[in-house]
Amino acid sequence: MARKRKAPEEDNPLRWLATYGDVVTLMLAFFVMLYAISQVDVQKFQLFVSGLADPFGNPAIRQGLLTEGDGIVGEASLEIQEAARGAVEGLALLDGLPELEPGTDPADAEGVEATAAALGTYAELSELRDAIEAALVAAELGEVVDYEIDERGLVIAVATDAVLFASGSAEFGDRGREIIAAIAPALAGIDNEILVEGHTDDVPLRGAGYDNWNLSSDRALAVLRLLGAVGGLAPQRLAATGYGEFRPRAANDSDEGRAANRRVELVVVLDEGDTDG
């Protein structure tokens, strides 16, 4: 009796997807490998290579990479030999390095002292206010400064006329220099930005072409420069602005109100981050 022939299998039109998937997977692995190679940490790579010396009995690492061998790459260059020696010494070198905080750039760590911390909580700003107030009281200048802590940070308001400056002038008096000299050390001990803002009342100045905008700006800039001179504050931390009479603290309808508006404010900007406390 004749054997029954097996029916042929139907052709699967989606067989190509298996090959396509393999190719895509291989390409992904290839590009991941290229990316990993491009991000090599030289020091870690050298330590890794040095770690392979003893387990695999590789004398090339202890004695220099192909320094005198007849390998297929020929005699190693001087740079490679030096790299090999550095790899062997890598672990010993790490023992002398200082501990770095996360995010610190090692290139900036050598020979650089820890920088002052930036204040990031209202409690820290309160401590700074107390320190400044104590310094001013010790210098018998405590009655000329007001403090406020708001969403921007600590605002230190100093009256200007007959305190920091002569009336209508941006030239410091002796008392004004003493006030800034008393405040500056506390500001130098932190790393927050400092905004210096000048304000006036609404009484027009008599000088032609020189108005309250100019006066408030000149006073703020004078305080900024003195902070840098007597306190050593970095210029990158400082900024000066003049607001004229347009940000009053009180109504300009009395002598007391106008006196309160004539001021320079030092704003210790709250560091971005935690504002609890």
Side-chain angles (χ1 to χ4, degrees), residues 41 69 74 91 98 107 127 135 140 152-153 177 201 213 232 234 242:
D41 185 312
L91 289 173
E127 293 177 1
E140 300 182 354
R152 294 192 300 165
R177 293 180 180 275
D201 57 22
W213 281 109

Side-chain angles (χ1 to χ4, degrees), residues 25 31 60 70 92 104 118 126 135 137 155 165 173 186 197 212 230 241 245 254:
T25 302
F31 285 111
D70 297 326
T104 301
S126 297
V137 169
V155 181
F165 306 99
E197 301 176 345
N212 285 325
V230 303
T241 306
E245 70 264 28
S254 66

Side-chain angles (χ1 to χ4, degrees), residues 66-138:
L66 302 176
T67 53
E68 297 180 1
D70 297 326
I72 59 174
V73 296
E75 188 171 328
S77 67
L78 180 61
E79 290 81 1
I80 295 177
Q81 297 177 37
E82 292 298 328
R85 296 190 190 98
V88 176
E89 298 168 358
L91 289 173
L93 290 175
L94 289 179
D95 293 340
L97 292 179
E99 293 292 334
L100 299 179
E101 294 294 330
T104 301
D105 186 358
D108 297 333
E110 184 177 354
V112 178
E113 297 181 359
T115 59
L119 306 186
T121 67
Y122 293 123
E124 291 173 331
L125 292 178
S126 297
E127 293 177 1
L128 175 65
R129 175 198 60 201
D130 295 342
I132 294 174
E133 187 172 15
L136 288 169
V137 169

Side-chain angles (χ1 to χ4, degrees), residues 176-216:
R177 293 180 180 275
E178 292 176 2
I179 293 171
I180 300 304
I183 294 174
L187 299 183
I190 61 175
D191 199 35
N192 299 66
E193 292 184 357
I194 310 295
L195 306 181
V196 185
E197 301 176 345
H199 302 268
T200 67
D201 57 22
D202 63 349
V203 177
L205 296 178
R206 296 181 179 179
Y210 190 84
D211 56 16
N212 285 325
W213 281 109
N214 302 111
L215 179 60
S216 62

